[in-house]
Every structure is written in C-alpha cells, then in structure tokens.
C-alpha cells in the first residue's frame, strides 16, 4: 500500500513512463489501447460539480502536469467512480492510478447513460483525488466497468496519445466521426451552460450570461462585459501594435453587442461578433488585465520600514560615478528608491551645478514657484518656515499643489555649526498600522477631501497656491496606498465636510499622527557635503532638527512620471 501511495503521489513525464514499460509489456499495452480507441467522449454531458484538472498524470489536483493536453483535453467537472479491471491494475503498476482503483473519470464521457447509483461512489467533499474510499462495496452487476467498457477505453486512448500511438475513432453508429476536442469546438452563444477546457496544467471554465462572459482560469474567476471584450480587441484593424494605440472607435461599438460564437483552446479565447469580426485574447493576458486580476496585483512593490527595519536592511548608497556612467549603478539606485522611498548617492561634488547634473540623470527637473534648482540659507529670504533655523516637524512638501511634487532632492553643501539632522519617516508604514488597528479611520482619511494652502507676499514673491485631496490616497480597486498628503503647517480651514464628520476625522488624524511620531519610526540622518538624498515625496515624510551656524542647502523637485519611466526602461516594476 505504501509503495502504491508513493507511486500515485506524483506524475511522470512521458519519457519516464516509456522507460518503465518493459519490452514484453509494451505489445500488451498497445493491444489494450487498440481495443479501447473506439470510445469517444461526449463534449456536452457535463455536470456542474466542482472540478479537478486532468492535467496531472496521477490525476490528483495537486500533481504536477504530465506533459501536455493529451491528459487534459477533456477538462471540466469530474466524478470519482470505482473501477479499473485489468487496465486499472496495469495503471496502478505504472503508478498512474489511485490506490484501490478509486480513479478520477470525466463526467459525461463514454457511451450510454451514467452508471447506476450502485456503480458510482462519490468521495466526501474536500477529499484529495486518489484517496481510497472508506468503505469498499461488494462487487455487483452495477459495479466497476471492465477493461472492455467505455471508461477504461478512454484511459487507454489518452495513454496511446501520450505514447504517440494513433488515436483512431470508429465511425460505427453511435460513435460519430473524429472531431475537435471540446476545448476547440465553436459554441453558439445561445447555449446557457458551463464549458470547460484544460489548457496545459491550468483548468479553464467559462459561461455566457446576458451581458457578460464569466471565465475561470489560473484560480481567478473573471467577468468581462461584452462591450469591453469588443473594445479591447487586439486585431490589426482595432489596435496598432507598433504604436501601442487603439484604432477602433469606441463610440462605434454597439452597447448591446453580444458575441455570435465563443470557443477556447489551450491558451486563447476566441469571440466571433455579429459582423463576422473575430477577437482573440490570450488567457494569461485576460488574467493580467481583468478587474479581478488587478485586485490581486500590487502596482508598486515596496518594503515598508521603521528605523530598525531600515538599519537592518543595510541599504547601500550608490557611488556618484557609477550612478552617472553605468546603467547598473542607476538601476541599483532606482531599485532602492522604489522599495524604500529614499536613496543616497555618495561622493557628489558639493556644488549646485553638480547636484543638477545628478538630478537630471533620472528625470526632468520640475520648475515651481521656487525655481528649478533652489538654493537657500537661514536668512528667511522667503516667507516659509523652512528658511529658518527652527526645527521642522515631519511633513510632505507641496501639499498645496493639485499634484504634489513627486521626488525631492537634498544636498547639503556646507554646515558650520551643530544640529540640523534630517528626519525621515515612512508614511506608508504608519498608515499600514492605522489600517490594521482602525480600518474605519483609515477609510475616513482616504475619503475626506482637505484644502492645503500656501500664501506668500514677501518682496517680489506673491503666490497663493491651493491643493485639494485626502490625507491618504489609494487605488480604489485594490486599496493600495500611493500618496500621503500630510502637512500640518499648510493645511487650510476644514470646510469641505459636514460637522458630524469633522470630529471623526480629527480622531482618525490623531491616530495617524501618533504613529508618525513614534520614536521607533523615526530615521535620523546627518546630511554632509558630498551626500545627496532623494526622497519619494508621495510616501516619505521629512523634517529637521534645529541647528546653529551657517548652513547651505540646495535641491530641486523632480517629475514623478519621468523617474518611473526611467525605472521601467531599466526593467523595474514601477
């Protein structure tokens, strides 16, 4: 029993199976296959019970694939029946049949009607395929089919295909001619039934509804609106593959359109429309681009951190020369930046001009009311607290822009004094703690819009900037956080929500602030001449401790789109 269990616990590739068949056994096996070729599966008799893919050689749901569609062309909903006879013994000797002849047989295959209740033995829900029945029945007239019955013939036909033998089908009455497997048959859309195929090692099932197609593939249940399926057609007349742009006029698609016919093969969905146009979609493409697939997909992989996590990661700085002259150095820098939201470049010449060269390596410089490259000391030349020697609490910049600046660059050119360390806090890490502790407060912070404002009337500088948005910004389909807008200095009057929401918002804001101010979440770094810091202003909050003496800083803002574009061109997910 133990040996048989080990044999059926995994699938065998065709080459290994062939090597196991002795010279004396091979003719006998060929005779068994020849006797069993005539039976032909009926593609329409499918039960709607939960199904198990036949693509795994030992016919267990968790088994690795045996090697191709020859084992999975039937697909669909399966029943377990007792049986096997001489063929079952032969299969078990090869390690391809479950213990005690409890095989997995496609529902609806073979001739005639379904076996009688006495012949069929259903295993309890959740029982792994290949598990022996708990109470073997006494053989009787309606028990397991013999080697000459249709079901074992089906097994032989599949094994014959696997070994390269001709898979003829009889044209006798009741059998019909050789036709396409079910996975490639064209199905009229009027048929309201569930259809199955087994592309390679992944099971696939689909069903038509009044206004959409339901498709299950790669463990994902997807629903596609018919207009969507027509609109996203990638044929040459609908989509320009060279420019990656649409050619089809979406407004010309009938909003009540339905496919005239549908078929699915191992890798592709085919839809024929009323005008005869055929649309083809790769099943993997559909998984990637469906709403259900996007819900499971992370747009921007990140590593959330507090001070201890970041120190233990020992994220390396990148040398300036490597950053400027090699793609490897640039890619390493961008990978660190995308994962952690901060990255350092060492050995930079401490001038504003060299800092600009550094910044332009990855992006266009975003010109703002502060110019392209800003350069300041503590002379209060602008009406902003940042131009003083005072400590600055954690915050993100330009919350008063409709689209806050994406990346900020800092380079300390000179400091003759004490203090002035830079504070860094991962806002996404703090927001994640709020989501775990108080999800209702996280949701409130992501939905209540606030105004942020910057008013400046100093010398020749006259500006009045207003930006609107919630503190936390998330993608609505997967609730992934992509922007935190947190600046208590520049937040304007709260007048965008009714009074009964205001107090709840203050409570939620206090919870987030408490997380941002936890000492264990604070990473303090000392910026020195030659060490440039890049900050993801949509994620990482920065601040500063008070300082003494003379301090010169330069920096700029970068356009986020250009930074992400550079990363993607280097093969990074951004």
């Amino acid at each position: 029993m133990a040996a048989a269990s080990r044999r059926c616990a995994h699938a065998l590739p065709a080459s290994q199976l062939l090597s196991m068949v002795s010279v004396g056994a091979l003719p006998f096996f060929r005779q068994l296959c020849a006797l069993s070729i005539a039976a032909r599966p009926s593609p329409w008799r499918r039960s709607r019970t939960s199904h198990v893919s036949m693509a795994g050689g030992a016919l267990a749901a968790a088994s690795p694939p045996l090697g191709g569609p020859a084992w999975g062309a039937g697909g669909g909903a399966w029943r377990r029946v007792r049986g096997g006879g001489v063929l079952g013994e032969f299969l078990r000797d090869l390690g391809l049949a479950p213990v005690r002849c409890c095989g997995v047989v496609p529902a609806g295959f073979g001739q005639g009607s379904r076996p009688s209740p006495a012949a069929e033995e259903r295993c309890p829900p959740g029982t792994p395929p290949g598990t022996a029945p708990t109470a073997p029945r006494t053989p009787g007239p309606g028990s397991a089919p013999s080697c000459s019955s249709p079901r074992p013939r089906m097994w032989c036909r599949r094994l014959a295909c696997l070994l390269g033998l001709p898979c003829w089908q009889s044209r006798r009455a009741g059998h019909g001619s050789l036709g396409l497997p079910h996975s490639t048959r064209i199905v009229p859309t009027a048929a309201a039934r569930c259809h199955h195929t087994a592309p390679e090692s992944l099971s696939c099932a689909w069903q038509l509804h009044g206004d959409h197609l339901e498709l299950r593939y790669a463990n994902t249940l997807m629903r596609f609106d018919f207009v969507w399926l027509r609109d996203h057609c990638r044929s040459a007349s609908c989509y320009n593959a060279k420019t990656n742009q649409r050619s089809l006029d979406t407004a010309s698609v009938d909003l009540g359109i339905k496919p005239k016919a549908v078929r699915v093969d191992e890798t592709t969905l085919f839809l024929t429309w009323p005008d005869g146009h055929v649309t083809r979609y790769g099943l993997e493409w559909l998984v990637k681009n469906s709403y259900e697939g996007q819900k499971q997909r992370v747009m921007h992989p990140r590593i959330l951190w507090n001070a201890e996590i970041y120190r233990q990661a020992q994220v390396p700085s990148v040398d300036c020369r490597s950053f400027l002259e090699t793609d490897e150095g640039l890619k390493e820098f961008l990978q660190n930046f995308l994962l952690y939201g901060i990255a350092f470049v060492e050995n930079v010449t401490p001038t504003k001009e060299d800092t600009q060269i550094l910044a332009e390596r990855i992006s266009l410089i975003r010109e703002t009311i502060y110019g392209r490259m800003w350069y300041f000391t503590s002379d209060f030349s602008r009406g902003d607290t940042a131009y003083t020697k005072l400590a600055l609490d954690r915050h993100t910049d330009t919350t008063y822009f409709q689209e806050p600046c994406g990346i900020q660059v800092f380079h300390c050119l000179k400091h003759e004094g004490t203090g002035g360390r830079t504070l860094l806090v991962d806002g996404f890490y703090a927001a994640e703690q709020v989501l775990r502790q108080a999800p209702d407060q996280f949701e409130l912070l992501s939905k209540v819009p606030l105004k942020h404002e910057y008013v400046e009337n100093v010398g020749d500088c006259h500006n009045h900037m207003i930006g609107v948005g919630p503190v936390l910004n998330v993608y609505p389909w997967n609730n992934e956080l992509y922007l935190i807008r947190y600046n208590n200095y520049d937040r304007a009057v709260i007048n965008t929500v009714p009074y009964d929401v205001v107090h709840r918002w203050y409570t939620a804001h206090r919870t987030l602030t408490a997380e941002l101010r936890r000492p264990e979440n604070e990473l303090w770094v000392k910026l020195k001449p030659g060490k440039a810091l890049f900050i993801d202003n949509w994620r990482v909050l920065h601040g500063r401790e008070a300082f003494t003496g003379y301090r010169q800083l330069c920096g700029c803002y970068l356009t986020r789109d250009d930074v992400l574009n550079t990363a993607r061109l280097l093969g990074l997910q951004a």
Side-chain angles (χ1 to χ4, degrees):
M1 177 68 72
S5 298
R6 286 195 297 270
R7 286 198 300 269
C8 68
H10 64 279
L12 299 174
S15 58
Q16 190 173 347
L17 175 63
L18 281 169
S19 66
M20 294 174 61
V21 181
S22 67
V23 176
L26 188 57
F28 168 68
F29 175 68
R30 291 179 181 271
Q31 290 177 4
L32 283 177
C33 292
L35 289 173
S36 306
I37 293 302
R40 174 171 176 260
S42 170
W44 299 105
R45 296 179 55 218
R46 306 280 178 171
S47 64
R48 298 199 184 196
T49 57
S50 59
H51 61 276
V52 177
S53 172
M54 292 238 343
L59 308 179
S63 299
L66 182 62
W71 283 87
W78 311 107
R79 292 196 311 273
R80 295 193 188 159
V81 298
R82 293 293 301 274
V86 176
L87 179 59
E89 293 293 331
F90 179 71
L91 292 174
R92 284 196 301 281
D93 288 341
L94 291 179
L96 296 176
V99 188
R100 297 185 186 174
C101 302
C102 185
V104 182
V105 178
F109 274 80
Q111 307 174 65
S113 60
R114 294 170 54 180
S116 65
E120 181 173 331
E121 178 173 316
R122 295 185 180 275
C123 296
T127 305
T131 303
T134 55
R137 297 186 180 184
T138 304
S143 62
S146 67
C147 184
S148 61
S149 67
R151 296 182 189 279
R153 284 202 297 269
M154 181 272 295
W155 290 104
C156 287
R157 185 178 63 257
R158 293 187 181 281
L159 285 172
C161 292
L162 181 65
L163 293 172
L165 299 175
C167 295
W168 304 298
Q169 283 192 313
S170 172
R171 294 180 180 270
R172 295 177 300 169
H175 291 286
S177 61
L178 178 63
L180 294 171
H182 173 64
S183 59
T184 59
R185 290 183 181 273
I186 297 177
V187 181
T189 58
R193 66 181 74 232
C194 203
H195 309 278
H196 301 269
T197 183
E200 299 177 354
S201 63
L202 299 174
S203 62
C204 176
W206 57 270
Q207 186 172 9
L208 289 172
H209 295 273
D211 61 351
H212 70 279
L213 171 71
E214 186 175 282
L215 178 71
R216 182 185 293 277
Y217 180 75
N219 298 320
T220 303
L221 178 62
M222 300 164 281
R223 296 176 178 88
F224 298 100
D225 180 85
F226 289 145
V227 179
W228 187 98
L229 288 169
R230 183 63 187 89
D231 178 49
H232 287 80
C233 180
R234 264 29 186 181
S235 67
S237 61
C238 299
Y239 189 79
N240 190 325
K242 292 183 178 179
T243 64
N244 294 299
Q245 292 177 305
R246 296 174 181 271
S247 302
L248 176 67
D249 177 18
T250 302
S252 69
V253 179
D254 180 5
L255 295 179
I257 195 170
K258 294 183 179 180
K260 185 171 62 174
V262 177
R263 69 183 177 95
V264 178
D265 67 11
E266 286 79 4
T267 60
T268 310
L269 168 69
F270 300 84
L271 303 110
T272 303
W273 302 103
D275 62 357
H277 184 81
V278 177
T279 295
R280 300 169 178 82
Y281 289 114
L283 298 178
E284 293 291 345
W285 187 93
L286 288 173
V287 171
K288 179 181 177 181
N289 291 282
S290 67
Y291 171 75
E292 294 80 6
Q294 285 295 309
K295 285 177 64 176
Q296 304 172 26
R297 179 181 171 86
V298 175
M299 291 287 292
H300 308 288
R302 299 182 176 97
I303 297 176
L304 306 185
W305 52 269
N306 58 18
E308 184 61 24
I309 292 173
Y310 187 82
R311 291 192 186 98
Q312 289 185 356
Q314 297 182 342
V315 184
S317 299
V318 176
D319 181 74
C320 180
R321 185 173 180 177
S322 175
F323 176 87
L324 292 175
E325 298 179 3
T326 70
D327 285 347
E328 291 75 15
L330 179 60
K331 185 174 182 178
E332 180 184 4
F333 168 86
L334 287 170
Q335 182 70 83
N336 294 339
F337 180 81
L338 294 172
L339 290 177
Y340 295 97
I342 56 175
F344 296 89
V345 179
E346 300 272 11
N347 304 317
V348 183
T349 304
T351 67
K352 186 173 71 171
E353 292 73 22
D354 286 282
T355 306
Q356 179 175 340
I357 293 172
L358 196 75
E360 290 177 335
R361 170 71 163 133
I362 60 172
S363 170
L364 297 174
I365 293 176
R366 177 172 177 177
E367 188 160 1
T368 67
I369 57 175
Y370 305 106
R372 295 186 75 248
M373 292 292 299
W374 42 259
Y375 173 86
F376 67 86
T377 60
S378 54
D379 60 0
F380 205 72
S381 59
R382 303 291 296 264
D384 194 307
T385 313
Y387 290 83
T388 70
K389 295 182 179 182
L390 302 176
L392 291 175
D393 194 18
R394 61 226 70 200
H395 64 280
T396 58
D397 273 13
T398 62
T399 54
Y400 39 80
F401 286 3
Q402 287 290 60
E403 181 184 299
C405 294
I407 287 86
Q408 185 165 23
V409 182
F410 283 116
H411 187 192
C412 181
L413 305 181
K414 181 184 294 187
H415 184 199
E416 299 170 350
T418 61
R421 290 183 305 164
T422 297
L423 168 64
L424 301 169
V425 178
D426 187 352
F428 286 6
Y429 178 87
E432 179 71 15
Q433 309 313 308
V434 175
L435 178 60
R436 291 179 180 178
Q437 300 166 15
D440 55 331
Q441 294 183 7
F442 180 97
E443 183 178 11
L444 192 66
L445 291 171
S446 68
K447 289 186 175 180
V448 173
L450 298 176
K451 292 180 182 178
H452 289 78
E453 188 173 36
Y454 179 76
V455 180
E456 182 182 29
N457 286 295
V458 177
D460 295 331
C461 300
H462 303 281
N463 296 291
H464 189 175
M465 311 292 291
I466 296 178
V468 181
V471 174
L472 303 179
N473 297 258
V474 300
Y475 295 125
W477 59 87
N478 65 356
N479 212 38
E480 180 182 343
L481 185 62
Y482 69 87
L483 164 64
I484 181 170
R485 191 190 294 250
Y486 185 99
N487 192 317
N488 206 52
Y489 297 106
D490 297 326
R491 181 167 47 80
V493 176
I494 300 177
N495 54 16
T496 52
V497 289
Y499 82 95
D500 58 332
V501 177
V502 170
H503 193 79
R504 291 193 294 119
W505 182 87
Y506 275 117
T507 302
H509 183 268
R510 184 68 54 84
T511 302
L512 176 61
T513 300
E515 288 297 331
L516 292 170
R517 290 180 177 176
R518 287 186 183 277
E520 59 267 30
N521 293 338
E522 298 177 344
L523 178 66
W524 291 93
V525 296
K526 179 68 173 179
L527 295 183
K528 299 178 180 179
K531 185 174 185 177
L533 167 64
F534 289 70
I535 301 175
D536 184 346
N537 188 56
W538 283 22
R539 170 183 175 181
V540 176
L541 287 70
H542 65 278
R544 178 191 70 204
E545 70 175 349
F547 65 92
T548 64
Y550 181 75
R551 188 171 184 253
Q552 282 185 344
L553 236 68
C554 77
C556 60
Y557 295 116
L558 304 181
T559 57
R560 185 177 187 82
D561 288 335
D562 288 302
V563 173
L564 300 183
N565 174 58
T566 302
R568 295 186 193 107
L569 291 175
L570 290 172
L572 301 174
Q573 183 177 344

